[in-house]
Amino acid sequence: MSNFFPQYTTDYISGVMSLRKPQKKSLEILAEIVAAVQLRKGMNLKAALGAVRAMYPTCTDFEREFPSLTFALATGVGKTRLMGAFIAYLYTHLNVKNYFVVAPNTTIYEKLKRELSDPNNSKYVFKGLGCFSAPPQVITDSDYNDKNISFYDSDVRLFVYNIDKFNKEGANMKQVHEVLGESFYKYLSELPDLVLIMDESHHYRAERGAAALNDLHPLLGLELTATPLVNQGAKQVPFKNVVYEYPLSKAIEDGYTRTPYAVTRSDVDFFNFGEEALDRLMLTDGIKCHEKAKAKLKAYAANHSTPEHPVRVVKPFMLVVCKDTDHAQQVSDYIRSDAFRDGAYKNKTIVVHSKQRGAESDENLRRLLDVEDANNNVEIVIHVNMLKEGWDVNNLYTIVPLRTAASKILREQMVGRGLRLPYGERTGDKDVDAVMLTAHDKFADILEEAKKGDSIFKAGNVIKAEDIEPEEAEDAQLSLDISEDKTLRSAYEQTGIQKTEQTDELIKKVNQKVQDKVQRHIRENHAVKLTMEQATQIAESVGAELAEDADLGDVFKDNRDPLLAWTRQQAEETHRTAISKFIPIPRIKVTDAGVEEYIFVDFDIDLSEFNHVPVKNELLIVNLESQEDRNRIEGDHIDFDGYNPKRTILAELREKPEIDYERCSALLFKLITQVCDHYESKHGENGMRNIVMMFKRDVAGKIYTQMMRHFYCKEGFLQEEVIEPNGLNLPQHYEYQSRVGLYEEYTGDIRSVLFDGVKKGVFASVKFQSRPELLFARIIEGDTDVQNWLRPALKEFNITYNRGQNYQPDFVVETEKMIYMVEVKGEDKLNDPDVLAKKERGIEYCAVVSRWGKANGYKEWRYVFIPSQQIQPYSTFAQLAERFTV
């Protein structure tokens, strides 16, 4: 067999399929093994095992009658996608065309069928691969009876079957097939290139399942599981054929999952609680976490959505795990009662367990499988023991284990259900990227596990239930600043109604309702225009509400017609005023991302990491018969004269793809010199040469690691075009724990405060990340040169940097002739690579939109980068802009 598609390297496949780091590593390991072991049926297993073990010592036994390799990847990393990568590699490099994919149960079987066969499925594993003349043909169930399986359209055939279809002696697959002249099972076993892929392979270690797989006589077995353990009596024994393990703790560390948090109550002795009382306390604390997650997810979607790219709202649910079916019924009765949250979850709860039968079981299972659907009202799932594998959900945010999960493995399996990322990757929002486990009586056990370092729970991921402070949320209102006196005067002049205290109050109320409805119309419809019909609808809606007002209804009815006419005009005027408040923000469309360049920021090496010592001139002698007999003797002196250590380190660094020697030569020379001088001062010149010669890769690796902390990725030769602003700023949704006036002093965490009373800004209330930002807002709010200002929403600007990260500036400030994009940064961050990358893109944005604006009648843009300590109460915006415009 030979390589038919030389371009399909592991790097190429990984890039096309967007493989994550552990998936790519698994593919590279498979490539190394098949290059070292010449696969063929009936090969010498002992020799093959020796070759694999030499590369991957954890593989001490194939444990089957054919070469079989286990890739132990954490739940949620993407095992099905890895199957696709394996198939693509084996087909393009070894011309392997037949694959038998085994599922342990119906749920996983149905999932595999969808993801391996349906190109319209969002998780279709072969998306983007062009190596197949036709998509791989998936053969399932009794397909082999319906067609002549030797003549499929595709070169590649995937036989996908549940283990129960062939691990029994009388299975249909083992009956003689009239077309084949033998059983389908026998036909498969005689294929010269059958590769066996076992999903959740810990299920196929029992004697009957293992024998059925052995009888297929595959060329190679590839096993995928998150738990490479097999039960032997009361013990769990690790697999012996693992070539790569990527545990859940590593997946959490690398950001491929949400982060688990344990929730408890402080200073409470839970042993003093009865079982029922403890259950109710854990449910109460669990639902508090659930409701917080629900609000946070709604806010995240609101703050990240744009008209072009709406962000869906993730609907979270809470999983309650009970010890048995009677316990589940008790818990269900309590949750559905008025005693629990006043009955709010009465119709939003389902119970699922194996003893359910008939219509109830079918309906609950349907609602369980659709629990992510926004139209499914289920928010609490009560379950006994563990949910089956293959039930992949991305919206489990709260787990409440009641009188269960006594073991570490059970707890980790439960939390594993809540680690999948609803948006496919971490968002950077702590609450969106979290899953909560109410621990209470098991809290001490969980912390003890965390200390061991092999647990999925990480020290510090601990939340106290009483510390989850309630937050209020609201949509920001526009800062209309419409004069009350002017409004009253206009109303009386146009309506001709008699002025009284009651009519004053009525007009004020009409005006407030008009403002609310106009703002809602703008926010929900993203509308820059208000038609006559829409203004009339707003007026009639206001009129209908006031007609029912207990205090003012009669006064309104007496003056209905003139007031409705004025209300319609007021709606139009309010809309014009609102639209004028918006700052037009052109959006950028990148049509050609150009060439990526890595830009390194100048820095001095941190020498604390460089602690090598010269290697002694010793030889180790080991008796091969008795390896306990070992000696060290003095070796010949190594002469390092003529050896160039700086050039040696440079040669290692030049192998790194991010380092362009021509651009980085000065920095490289400085860093290498600093390291060599450091070693020479401690160990002398010969000692320094000794260290570099013996540890050149590690020394270069440490320099490279520090360099990568001081770089950003620049997209060169950007081709950008401006999309004309639609005249609106994105609506803002705020969550806060307290609210104060813009000029009031506040000593707590400023990030949790909503500041009110903004007159000059686009919105009447605003939040800040730091006190310098608050001080700057006070300056521009009171500055006569400033016409308008804005704290832009997430995704307000379509500005990306460093490979697609979104840049959100701190402020936009509008004056009579200019619009400024303003960034406020602490002095300690001024040379941070991430900050510099944002700064560069901000400058580019202002240049692009200024050129476009000049031709299209919009104001010029400038970029202002202000060190935070330069913002003083006596500063003026003009002075700050003049000093710090870049």
Side-chain angles (χ1 to χ4, degrees), residues 3-48:
N3 185 348
F4 291 86
F5 298 83
Q7 76 272 30
Y8 273 75
T9 62
T10 55
D11 282 345
Y12 179 78
I13 294 173
S14 299
V16 169
M17 298 186 72
S18 301
L19 297 187
R20 291 170 165 175
K21 184 170 67 176
Q23 295 167 317
K24 182 181 180 185
K25 180 65 176 175
S26 299
L27 183 62
E28 290 169 347
I29 289 171
L30 175 64
E32 287 179 11
I33 290 174
V34 297
V37 178
Q38 297 300 309
L39 293 175
R40 65 182 185 281
K41 279 210 169 188
M43 65 189 300
N44 184 325
L45 285 185
K46 189 173 181 181

Side-chain angles (χ1 to χ4, degrees), residues 867-883:
S868 60
Q869 292 181 16
Q870 301 300 312
I871 302 171
Q872 298 297 329
Y874 50 77
S875 299
T876 64
F877 178 68
Q879 177 245 357
L880 290 171
E882 186 175 343
R883 287 180 62 198

